[in-house]
């Protein structure tokens, strides 16, 4: 069939509607351990795609590497003050740990906890390399939806593609994926703008393109049950709670 002409309103509309009819969009369902009434986000991001959402304090977000081919490049901005954002260097330095895992805070440049990793079945992540050019461009697209620009696209965290440092040589070693079905849960401490780009890791020699599922739900009660008792984490939580209390006014 000939391609429809798009140099008129009618032709462009027909072409757009034909594209929609051919598209296959899968929306993930609520996980079995979550009340569907609390769901606030359900989206599948294909390889080479991005997504962004404003999330309230107490939101829990689950990222799932459905096919073992996803690489979730993540940025966080404080929603009411987006000049405060994820600081990857402090996220490594303050907890004395360069490798993400359960209990690890994602810290802002003001020493506050934007989110905590509360579950992780992957263990293959990276805070050392950042995304390649396509990933940066996708993160920029997400940031611009919230009035930001290229100056706001700071170094990001990469989930589901691992990197380790060789203790002898100091060389970066790419450790790949944990495989299909691996998941990471984040618990949000302050209202944030979350930006995700599902794009290849720069050290991946043969990057696949797999879907990244995102599920979010309300779980504010879990903020009182976090188990990390490290003094650095507790101090960051205190900073966070003080900022929330100061700015919350009559909010409950």
């Amino acid at each position: 069939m000939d391609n429809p002409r798009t140099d008129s309103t009618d032709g462009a509309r027909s072409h757009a509607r034909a594209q929609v009819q051919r598209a296959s969009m899968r929306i993930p369902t609520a996980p079995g351990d979550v009340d569907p009434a609390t769901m606030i986000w359900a989206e599948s991001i294909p390889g080479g795609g991005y997504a962004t959402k404003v999330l309230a304090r107490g939101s829990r977000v689950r990222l799932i590497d459905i096919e073992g081919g996803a690489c979730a490049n993540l940025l966080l901005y404080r929603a009411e003050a987006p000049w405060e954002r994820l600081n990857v260097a402090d996220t490594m330095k303050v907890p004395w740990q360069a490798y993400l895992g359960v209990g690890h805070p994602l810290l802002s440049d003001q020493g506050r906890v934007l989110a905590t990793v509360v579950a992780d079945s992957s263990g293959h992540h990276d805070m050392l390399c950042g995304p390649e050019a396509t990933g940066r461009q996708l993160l920029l697209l997400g940031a611009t939806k919230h009035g930001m620009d290229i100056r706001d696209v700071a170094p990001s965290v990469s989930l589901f593609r691992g990197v380790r440092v060789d203790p002898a040589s100091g060389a970066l070693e790419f450790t790949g994926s944990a495989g299909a079905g691996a998941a990471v849960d984040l618990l949000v401490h302050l209202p944030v703008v979350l930006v995700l780009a599902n794009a290849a890791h720069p050290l991946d020699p043969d990057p696949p393109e797999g879907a990244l599922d995102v599920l979010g739900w309300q779980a504010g009660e879990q903020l009182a049950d976090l188990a990390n008792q490290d003094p650095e984490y507790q101090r960051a939580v205190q900073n966070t709670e003080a900022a929330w209390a100061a700015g919350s006014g009559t909010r409950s």
Side-chain angles (χ1 to χ4, degrees):
M1 184 174 64
D2 293 337
N3 292 327
R5 294 179 63 88
T6 58
D7 54 359
S8 69
T9 301
D10 288 344
R13 180 178 60 199
S14 297
H15 176 68
R17 289 179 176 175
Q19 294 294 102
V20 170
Q21 290 173 359
R22 287 196 294 268
S24 176
M25 181 174 292
R26 181 179 58 82
I27 299 177
T29 59
D33 57 340
V34 176
D35 180 357
T38 67
M39 291 291 297
I40 55 174
W41 193 8
E43 185 170 353
S44 185
I45 307 172
Y50 77 98
T52 180
K53 194 169 185 66
V54 179
L55 295 167
R57 169 180 162 91
S59 301
R60 182 161 174 160
V61 179
R62 179 169 297 166
L63 310 176
I64 309 170
D65 183 2
I66 294 297
E67 301 158 350
C71 181
N73 299 281
L74 169 70
L75 287 176
L76 294 170
Y77 305 85
R78 190 172 171 187
E80 66 270 31
W83 49 264
E84 181 178 355
R85 71 279 308 269
L86 175 66
N87 186 300
V88 174
D90 284 352
T91 294
M92 291 187 284
K93 179 178 65 178
V94 174
W96 305 94
Q97 177 56 264
Y99 306 127
L100 280 177
V102 173
H104 203 123
L106 299 179
L107 294 170
S108 79
D109 47 15
Q110 301 299 306
R112 290 186 270 264
V113 184
L114 297 177
T116 295
V117 178
V118 291
D120 179 15
S121 63
S122 171
H124 288 241
H125 313 302
D126 172 35
M127 294 192 289
L128 299 169
C129 296
E132 42 81 68
T134 300
R136 290 195 299 272
Q137 184 62 30
L138 291 170
L139 291 172
L140 174 59
L141 289 174
T144 58
K145 288 182 177 291
H146 302 277
M148 295 179 279
D149 60 32
I150 189 61
R151 295 170 296 181
D152 300 295
V153 181
S156 61
V157 170
S158 298
L159 304 174
F160 304 117
R161 283 293 184 270
V163 169
R164 289 290 185 271
V165 178
D166 183 277
S169 67
L172 297 179
E173 298 180 342
F174 182 68
T175 62
S177 167
V184 176
D185 283 22
L186 306 176
L187 186 61
V188 174
H189 290 245
L190 291 171
V192 296
V193 174
L194 185 149
V195 182
L196 284 168
N198 184 10
H201 190 281
L203 296 186
D204 195 335
D206 186 23
E209 289 192 357
L212 172 70
D213 277 9
V214 187
L215 296 160
W217 63 95
Q218 299 164 338
E221 72 284 353
Q222 296 179 11
L223 287 170
D225 298 328
L226 294 170
N228 188 338
Q229 296 300 313
D230 291 345
E232 297 85 359
Y233 180 82
Q234 290 298 316
R235 183 163 59 249
V237 168
Q238 290 169 8
N239 292 340
T240 307
E241 293 303 308
W244 174 251
S248 63
T250 58
R251 290 181 298 192
S252 58

